[in-house]
Amino acid sequence: MGKEEKSSSIEQQMAEQIIFQKVNDWLGVELVENAKIFVGNTFMQPDFYSKADGIIGEIYAHIGKPKKAQDNKIANDILKMLLLEKIEGKIYRKIIVVCDEDEIKKIKGTSVLAKCIRQFDIEVKMIEIETDLRDTLIEAQKRQRMVNA
């Protein structure tokens, strides 16, 4: 098995798909998954989006204490959400969805990232996932850590 296969995020993609369905049900609107939103000569691709309902959001299928890379990804995704609002001149319901208590504690805590989330009115939602899926994600993360070590 090559390095690409060992670090594959197929399990994460599967988890994000399941979480997306739960978010869709929770919000009760028809969200677009991974919509390409063009911003000038480039584009952003949020995990879920509804222009009509003014919703944009990201899903983080990570289990355990977040690493710096997860914080950076969340911060980058927040910037994209804020950029979309600025360019369109429209306030969106901005949502970050997580599936783990450690992640939610971190982004609702006292860090600069957590303060930004509160200051920019970004909603944080915890979506529970089944134990089997959770275990699968943990195993995939262990494999990825071994590959990236």
Side-chain angles (χ1 to χ4, degrees):
M1 186 181 298
K3 183 174 180 175
E4 299 81 22
E5 293 166 346
K6 286 183 184 174
S7 65
S8 170
S9 62
I10 193 78
E11 297 91 347
Q12 183 179 354
Q13 291 170 5
M14 181 178 66
E16 287 178 359
Q17 178 63 43
I18 291 166
I19 294 167
F20 171 79
Q21 290 303 323
K22 290 182 177 199
V23 169
N24 216 17
D25 294 344
W26 165 60
L27 291 172
V29 298
E30 200 58 39
L31 297 168
V32 178
E33 185 177 19
N34 300 315
K36 275 191 178 179
I37 304 168
F38 287 90
V39 182
N41 60 353
T42 189
F43 67 92
M44 63 180 73
Q45 203 164 2
D47 291 329
F48 58 92
Y49 173 73
S50 172
K51 183 169 185 154
D53 296 294
I55 297 170
I56 186 169
E58 293 291 339
I59 296 169
Y60 301 97
H62 181 269
I63 306 297
K65 187 173 183 207
K67 306 277 188 273
K68 187 68 175 165
Q70 277 95 22
D71 287 354
N72 290 343
K73 182 172 180 355
I74 292 171
N76 189 45
D77 288 338
I78 289 169
L79 282 173
K80 290 177 192 175
M81 291 183 214
L82 296 173
L83 176 63
L84 181 64
E85 284 187 329
K86 180 81 169 175
I87 287 172
E88 292 194 355
K90 174 180 178 176
I91 301 297
Y92 277 81
R93 181 176 179 186
K94 300 171 291 299
I95 307 170
I96 293 173
V97 179
V98 299
C99 62
D100 186 69
E101 286 294 328
D102 287 335
E103 188 79 50
I104 204 151
K105 285 178 192 170
K106 172 85 184 244
I107 61 178
K108 285 189 164 192
T110 59
S111 69
V112 170
L113 178 62
K115 289 179 188 286
C116 287
I117 287 168
R118 287 189 290 276
Q119 284 295 313
F120 290 109
D121 298 318
I122 298 164
E123 197 172 330
V124 177
K125 174 74 173 169
M126 169 80 176
I127 297 281
E128 297 283 337
I129 59 173
E130 291 71 24
T131 303
D132 289 349
L133 181 56
R134 185 178 181 81
D135 293 343
T136 299
L137 279 173
I138 290 168
E139 287 304 311
Q141 288 171 200
K142 285 179 186 173
R143 186 184 68 237
Q144 289 169 342
R145 278 193 298 272
M146 287 174 32
V147 168
N148 295 324

